[in-house]
Amino acid sequence: MTTSLLLRNGTVIDTAPAPSVLGRADVLVEDGRIAAVGPGLAAPPGAEVLDATGRIVMPGFVDTHRHTWQTAIRAILPDSTLPAYLRRVLGELAPRYRPDDVYTGTLAGALECLDSGITTVVDWSHIMFSPDHTGADIAALRASGVRAVFGYCYGGNGDLDALAAETARVRREYFDAPAGTVSMWLAALGPEIAGEERALAEWRLARDLDLPVTVHMGGHGAESAARGLAFLEDNGLLGHPAMYVHANFYTEDAFKKIAANGGTVSATPGVEAALCIGDPATGRAHAAGVPTGLGADTVASGPGDMFGVMRAAYFLERARPGGAGTWFTTAQALRAATLGGAETAGLAGVTGSLTPGKQADLIVLRTDSLGMAAAHDPIAAVVLSAETRHVDTVIVGGRVVKRAGVLQGHDVPSLLSALESAAGRLAAA
């Protein structure tokens, strides 16, 4: 039996091939996929109709890099630097996490995504200290209803045989069968963080298991960035599908090499600026032809909503000396947060735009409030003016997960209580 949903008479923004305002139009969803977009669409018999008059209807946001488990340590490290983050968060706080803390933090973080209009998230999870930690993270992602890429980063000892065995187990037990809205990538620590020996093991394992790689590379200085990329090239690994996170120090030639080998870039401009990692690569990567997306990274040091991230990208690009970034527009910021993010996460055929046949991952934004009313340019209003409070409706795969400003199907007060309890214990001296 076909299930249908019609979003009627909204101001529709599509993002393919570039963001554009389609004007007053309807969006028809059938069996979880976008069936048609246009004015005056007829509602099929039995269809649910959502009146979007006075609202903006657009694709959901795609967050290409987030350590979702860190929700319980929000704002624990403001005004800091990357070395302090590595020492405090990964060295001191992460080892305190129990599997139930991982579940609570990941579920709360995924719901935070949905609440703010992020329908897809790449969960870069380096809290995998045991099989129970791994199971808790995956269970939370699946329970939330978000579309997710689970980036598995082995967190045991330095035994590379154990890394291979456990990664293969996770792939086999959780993702060999159709995984619904959650898929798996390998989150690699090498070569710039954990060294070249581990990098060889990780990337070769990813090739053997047919898993794309998401890796922190390019954000540790120009020399490290050049050396790491050369290492991949010298070992025949550069052609493996990979997302390069924090690519701040890559040159134009490096970006062109990444693009030629099918790589993508995730920029997290807010946290990169806050932790003094370097100037975000958003515009330079995009200009070099690399699919480029945006990420919130960590709420320990930055915002967790895409509105804040888009604004950080937009203003930092346009503030480049001598007007070098004034070509970067609000439309380009919005594309990076939607279709660009989907391209970066290997999901361009699934989400990121209103193309018929794609999964119906949609958001509806209110415009009838101070701060959004009387906007002349809907795209600019989304990037420069909108906030989480304007997210009225969120749909993932045709299923309404937020309606009239309220998340559906979750006991949020109980979850917040569990999150506060975990936060107090984890941060205790």
Side-chain angles (χ1 to χ4, degrees):
M1 179 180 177
T2 300
T3 57
S4 302
L5 172 66
L6 183 68
L7 288 82
R8 174 168 285 165
N9 199 38
T11 297
V12 176
I13 297 175
D14 197 7
T15 54
S20 62
V21 180
L22 305 186
R24 291 288 185 89
D26 307 328
V27 179
L28 176 62
V29 175
E30 293 188 330
D31 288 338
R33 295 182 180 272
I34 297 170
V37 179
L41 297 180
E48 179 183 2
V49 178
L50 294 180
D51 184 5
T53 302
R55 308 282 194 269
I56 292 172
V57 179
M58 58 173 284
F61 298 122
V62 179
D63 183 336
T64 57
H65 184 71
R66 179 184 293 245
H67 304 300
T68 317
W69 59 271
Q70 295 179 5
T71 308
I73 53 174
R74 183 186 307 277
I76 203 168
L77 204 69
D79 314 319
S80 193
T81 62
L82 179 60
Y85 166 85
L86 296 174
R87 182 175 59 252
R88 175 66 168 143
V89 174
L90 300 186
E92 298 175 6
L93 297 176
R96 301 178 186 177
Y97 268 73
R98 306 178 308 210
D100 60 318
D101 299 322
V102 175
Y103 182 87
T104 299
T106 301
L107 179 58
L111 292 183
E112 177 185 3
C113 287
L114 292 174
D115 190 47
S116 64
I118 296 169
T119 53
T120 299
V121 61
V122 179
D123 177 30
W124 213 105
S125 193
H126 46 3
I127 193 69
M128 304 292 96
F129 296 138
S130 75
D132 289 340
H133 287 74
T134 302
D137 196 300
I138 296 169
L141 290 174
R142 289 178 170 167
S144 72
V146 76
R147 189 176 307 282
V149 172
F150 171 63
Y152 176 77
C153 181
Y154 176 71
N157 56 32
D159 185 343
L160 299 182
D161 290 335
L163 181 155
E166 184 61 10
T167 306
R169 180 194 69 81
V170 174
R171 171 76 165 81
R172 180 179 64 254
E173 291 190 7
Y174 292 101
F175 297 99
D176 268 2
T181 57
V182 183
S183 57
M184 179 180 178
W185 285 32
L186 190 149
L189 284 178
E192 290 192 60
I193 295 177
E196 295 179 353
E197 183 182 10
R198 173 151 177 164
L200 281 176
E202 290 172 325
W203 290 67
R204 289 171 176 171
L205 178 62
R207 179 190 58 201
D208 293 343
L209 296 178
D210 193 26
L211 294 174
V213 169
T214 173
V215 59
H216 297 81
M217 283 184 64
H220 302 275
E223 182 181 350
S224 177
R227 185 173 62 249
L229 205 62
F231 169 80
L232 294 182
E233 186 172 26
D234 291 345
N235 286 278
L237 302 173
L238 193 58
H240 186 80
M243 176 199 301
Y244 299 84
V245 183
H246 309 316
N248 308 63
F249 290 95
Y250 285 133
T251 63
E252 182 180 358
D253 287 343
F255 282 129
K256 289 180 178 178
K257 187 172 292 187
I258 289 171
N261 283 276
T264 66
V265 162
S266 172
T268 69
V271 166
E272 288 166 2
L275 295 183
C276 303
I277 294 174
D279 290 338
T282 322
R284 293 190 303 115
H286 174 77
V290 185
T292 305
L294 299 176
D297 199 348
T298 172
V299 296
S301 303
D305 65 282
M306 189 56 72
F307 302 109
V309 174
M310 284 192 294
R311 283 195 271 278
Y314 176 76
F315 291 126
L316 287 168
E317 287 296 333
R318 293 186 66 85
R320 291 189 183 278
T326 54
W327 64 270
F328 192 83
T329 65
T330 51
Q332 285 161 329
L334 184 62
R335 192 185 191 282
T338 52
L339 184 56
E343 293 169 346
T344 301
L347 295 171
V350 176
T351 189
S353 72
L354 302 183
T355 305
K358 285 191 177 184
Q359 292 288 323
D361 296 350
L362 309 169
I363 60 175
V364 180
L365 306 179
R366 299 182 67 99
T367 62
D368 57 346
S369 67
L370 295 173
M372 278 290 280
H376 293 267
D377 182 335
I379 291 172
V382 172
V383 175
L384 301 179
S385 304
E387 302 171 359
T388 294
R389 65 191 177 96
H390 296 118
V391 180
D392 179 83
T393 302
V394 178
I395 299 168
V396 179
R399 186 170 69 90
V400 179
V401 297
K402 183 178 183 180
R403 186 188 297 269
V406 178
L407 288 170
Q408 304 294 293
H410 293 278
D411 184 351
V412 175
S414 294
L415 177 61
L416 293 177
S417 177
L419 188 69
E420 290 287 350
S421 178
R425 184 180 60 77
L426 291 168

